[in-house]
Amino acid sequence: SKLSGILAAGRPVLFVGPPGSALANFILQEKVGAVFAPGDAAGLASTLQRWAANDGAEAAVLGQTARTCYERHFTLEFALDQWENLLCAIPNKAE
């Protein structure tokens, strides 16, 4: 997905889409970017201006948070742990 690539690059996320979607909720919960409803060009522009202010300090912090989020949720190790948990939860009918 595009999200994992953005997070891996340590960049803040700008999401334009349904504010109540799972992706929007993930972005807001993890504090890795901003969410905008379709048509909210003013909000998007305002956020970009704010992120560019102060030599991009706010965007840099969001980017660091994004990279940490990637390492927590999207690495191979995380995926393998999730698969292991899923497989271990399946009842063994041979027993």
Side-chain angles (χ1 to χ4, degrees), residues 3-13 26-27 30-33 59-74:
L3 177 65
S4 63
I6 294 166
L7 297 174
R11 306 296 294 185
V13 178
F26 179 84
I27 291 165
E30 294 294 324
K31 297 180 176 76
V32 294
V61 169
L62 287 168
Q64 290 170 350
T65 304
R67 179 60 195 190
T68 301
C69 176
Y70 171 80
E71 292 169 358
R72 243 189 356 262
H73 296 287
F74 294 96

Side-chain angles (χ1 to χ4, degrees), residues 25-64:
N25 290 335
F26 179 84
I27 291 165
L28 295 174
Q29 178 182 346
E30 294 294 324
K31 297 180 176 76
V32 294
V35 173
F36 305 92
D40 185 9
L44 178 61
S46 174
T47 297
L48 286 171
Q49 289 173 340
R50 193 180 74 242
W51 287 1
N54 301 320
D55 294 325
E58 183 179 356
V61 169
L62 287 168
Q64 290 170 350

